[in-house]
Amino acid sequence: MGYEFDFSAVLTDQYIGWLLSGIRITLMLSAGAWLLSFAVGTALAVLRATNFKPAVWLVATFVEIHQNIPLLVQVLFWYFAMPEILPEAWRDWLNQNNSEFILAMIAIAMCHAAYISEALRSGLRAVPVTQYEAGRSFGFSYLQTMSYIVVPQALRLSIPPLVNHSLLLFKNTSIAMAIGVHELTYQTRQIDSDTFRTFEIFLVATILYILMSFVIMAAGNLAERRFGMGAR
Amino acid sequence: MISFENVNKWYGPELQVLNDVTAEVNKGEVVVLCGPSGSGKTTLIRTINRLEPINSGKITVNGQETHAKSANVNRLRREIGFVFQQFNLFPHMSVMDNITLAPRKLKGMSRPEAEEKALKLLARVGLEEKAGAYPSQLSGGQSQRVAIARSLAMDPPIILFDEPTSALDPEMVGEVLAVIKGLAHTGITMMCVTHEMGFARDVADRVWFLDKGVLLEDAKPGEFFSNPKHPRAQRFLADLRH
């Protein structure tokens, strides 16, 4: 083992600046994709729960497509192929507004929306039918019963898988580097090719990812304790 | 108040769960439904607010045909309280929220107003100290009393009980029956599926006896218990005494 570690080479003011900006983009991408994936995932799960044939079919297709194609392919597809079929005005707007960030966010969000809708679906199925019946017996409509009674319970039951998917989504933002989003992995590669201090900079990136993952896990634990069905 | 006209319900040609039921419940009356298990008591009571569809016949509640296509089922159900065998409290809400949800969301009652009312109802079922508790912290008897208070919060003119004490430990049956007794003859129309014959004798204005989906007896409790007309009812009562 003749390798000599030299962290000072990768932790200069300039590179720390790159890392911080990478962290910022990673967090923004995670947060944006997370919100979007939860909104879409919840809508998909509720749509599927209607048991209306075309809706069920549509959601099942969406889920299968997104679960069975590599995320990298989906990101590349959104970045290179989708703009081709968008109206001219949208394409121009995207190009002026950081298209790689927005399209990476959409691609990651759509992929994880599929997983989230499945996690919620299992949560929905775990809520006894009698809860739905009790809601309806008061005179609540289908949508009222779902939003006051069934979905809040399904969400609570789904907290553990949802935390897992949140963590996975966070880690998967690194794939956005493939289309040039300047997130943490991208910046790590940049510093690597600047310094050739591969081991050091990837160790630093690893630690940063682990620290951020811990924060998400801690938040998940807190949510489980505060809102979980066992919580009182 | 509630009338059944030739109500039929079947699952395929083999299984007829309600067979030409025709009967009437008057305003303010207490009717107890009894009969062997599988006789259609629960099904019958669930057809009133359309939790169960029927295949033919007519059910009228307060002059409104409930199974008509044009009937507004959500509006209709606001007028009919329903108490389930398994309580079906909402586990993610406190007792207070369980009781105030429907009046707030369906009647537009303000939160303070709904909570004041909920506390009165909780006092009525003897559980005012449980307002902040969650369903998982309640015993079966307490849960069912909360469920009754929750139904009453909508001020329904009709309340239906589907075996309200069947899921309870024996020592908790009494407290729930006492609450139901307290509601009887206060103007509210009640139907109750139960195996508690003592309760039927004390509280019911009339007892309906069902067997295989057929309404075999519709009699005053004194008459039903001392002198049942139908042999199937005689056998049922004899079996209960063992």
Side-chain angles (χ1 to χ4, degrees), chain A residues 10-37:
Chain A
V10 298
L11 291 176
T12 65
D13 284 352
Q14 185 197 4
Y15 295 145
I16 287 176
W18 290 12
L19 286 172
L20 287 177
S21 114
I23 290 174
R24 195 174 68 91
I25 301 293
T26 289
L27 291 178
M28 280 167 59
L29 190 57
S30 300
W34 190 81
L35 287 174
L36 190 58
S37 69

Side-chain angles (χ1 to χ4, degrees), chain B residues 184-220:
Chain B
H185 309 116
T186 57
I188 197 164
T189 306
M190 287 172 35
M191 288 183 78
C192 183
V193 175
T194 186
H195 298 289
E196 299 293 332
M197 290 303 126
F199 170 81
R201 197 191 300 265
D202 294 350
V203 180
D205 295 304
R206 276 184 302 143
V207 177
W208 293 4
F209 178 79
L210 273 103
D211 184 51
K212 298 196 175 86
V214 184
L215 182 59
L216 289 181
E217 300 246 4
D218 174 357
K220 289 201 168 8

Side-chain angles (χ1 to χ4, degrees), chain A residues 95-107:
Chain A
N95 287 333
Q96 285 155 20
N97 288 284
N98 203 352
S99 64
E100 58 277 357
F101 179 88
I102 292 172
L103 292 169
M105 182 179 82
I106 294 175

Side-chain angles (χ1 to χ4, degrees), chain B residues 41-140:
Chain B
K41 313 177 292 287
T42 290
T43 307
L44 184 66
I45 207 169
R46 284 165 59 94
T47 60
I48 298 168
N49 68 350
R50 251 171 83 173
L51 285 179
E52 293 284 350
I54 58 175
N55 294 93
S56 74
K58 202 160 121 179
I59 298 173
T60 317
V61 173
N62 222 347
Q64 227 195 336
E65 198 188 328
T66 63
H67 286 259
K69 276 216 170 66
S70 60
N72 181 338
V73 68
N74 292 332
R75 182 155 286 281
L76 175 92
R77 284 172 177 161
R78 290 187 207 178
E79 308 289 310
I80 306 174
F82 199 98
V83 174
F84 295 86
Q85 181 177 357
Q86 298 291 345
F87 336 129
N88 295 348
L89 294 179
F90 306 134
H92 60 302
M93 291 180 192
S94 67
V95 164
M96 181 57 94
D97 288 344
N98 262 280
I99 299 176
T100 58
L101 182 73
R104 284 193 291 120
K105 302 293 182 186
L106 292 172
K107 285 190 161 171
M109 213 182 259
S110 72
R111 188 180 275 277
E113 197 185 346
E115 292 191 345
E116 195 189 314
K117 179 169 190 159
L119 285 174
K120 279 191 196 136
L121 289 168
L122 280 173
R124 192 162 166 192
V125 300
L127 289 171
E128 55 269 69
E129 78 284 1
K130 293 290 182 188
Y134 277 84
S136 61
Q137 299 165 322
L138 303 177
S139 70

